Amino acid sequence: AQLNIDWEFIEYDAVIFNSFFTEKWEAYSCQNHFYSSLPHEQDFFALNELQIRGLLNHDFVVLPGFCGDLLGGSITAFQTNDYTLDGLEKLIQFKHFKGVEFPLDGLEKEGSIDDYSTFYDRYQHWYVCNKVSKFIVNSVRVYEYFGGTWLLPLWDDDLLSYWYSLPYAVRKKQKLYNQVLFE
């Protein structure tokens, strides 16, 4: 209300999900994955419905808050006692592949892991290079499909460089991130 922007609620129900079986979905899903990930359907249904209702401007801009919490360390909110490369591989296989063994592309295997800080930094690096870049950030393609543009302000190079330069101790459990947000 303060920004004078109308709010449109799109209920995700059986009728909305029927668009999953249309030529429009097929066209979208075939053009956005770039053979590196699955199509991201989450926003497709709402954007499709907004377009059907005539509420989607042809030149809209989306600034999703994707991944801002990652800068603060949200993905490292787990406990382990095995701060080794082997422990890191096991953790990734368990958390992301449910124990099914997959090759871990992009996992730095050179150099030792001496402490929990190095362990979590290596985990975060793998996570960002594999899940975030291939799935989460790729999800912005849906805005392009519907004629819009997007910006990822929380993935600005300077902002990323700053947060990743901080020691893990201040990123742990989003300590500094939450402090900055609340202040």
Side-chain angles (χ1 to χ4, degrees):
Q2 289 180 330
L3 296 173
N4 197 27
I5 298 172
D6 293 334
W7 172 263
E8 295 292 332
F9 175 74
I10 306 297
E11 183 176 355
Y12 277 30
D13 57 16
V15 174
I16 291 293
F17 288 129
N18 280 335
S19 62
F20 191 74
F21 304 101
T22 63
E23 288 180 19
K24 193 175 204 175
W25 166 260
E26 181 70 25
Y28 161 70
S29 66
C30 286
Q31 82 173 31
N32 80 82
H33 58 78
F34 303 108
Y35 302 103
S36 67
S37 69
L38 297 172
H40 192 274
E41 69 276 350
Q42 178 176 309
D43 295 347
F44 174 86
F45 303 108
L47 292 167
N48 187 52
E49 184 63 21
L50 289 170
Q51 190 174 61
I52 289 169
R53 293 181 190 180
L55 298 172
L56 193 61
N57 296 332
H58 68 282
D59 58 350
F60 68 95
V61 178
V62 178
L63 286 88
F66 294 159
C67 308
D69 64 322
L70 293 179
L71 299 175
S74 67
I75 63 164
T76 59
F78 54 81
Q79 297 293 322
T80 184
N81 294 323
D82 189 0
Y83 297 109
T84 64
L85 181 58
D86 187 50
L88 181 57
E89 289 178 358
K90 287 177 185 174
L91 175 77
I92 292 170
Q93 294 289 356
F94 176 76
K95 285 183 69 66
H96 299 284
F97 304 109
K98 305 301 180 220
V100 176
E101 295 231 2
F102 280 95
L104 298 179
D105 296 337
L107 181 62
E108 295 177 35
K109 294 192 177 196
E110 294 165 14
S112 63
I113 297 178
D114 301 323
D115 57 15
Y116 71 89
S117 180
T118 306
F119 181 89
Y120 287 118
D121 284 344
R122 297 267 287 274
Y123 174 73
Q124 182 166 321
H125 177 79
W126 178 87
Y127 185 83
V128 167
C129 290
N130 288 277
K131 183 170 184 180
V132 174
S133 65
K134 294 175 185 173
F135 184 67
I136 304 299
V137 174
N138 186 50
S139 70
V140 298
R141 302 294 176 209
V142 72
Y143 309 128
E144 295 171 359
Y145 179 79
F146 283 94
T149 56
W150 52 268
L151 299 169
L152 292 173
L154 299 175
W155 281 81
D156 173 79
D157 285 343
D158 291 337
L159 184 61
L160 285 171
S161 295
Y162 170 73
W163 280 102
Y164 287 150
S165 72
L166 298 173
Y168 176 72
V170 298
R171 290 185 285 135
K172 186 177 183 181
K173 297 183 181 178
Q174 297 179 281
K175 181 179 175 181
L176 180 62
Y177 180 80
N178 289 338
Q179 179 184 341
V180 168
L181 285 181
F182 288 112
E183 286 178 8

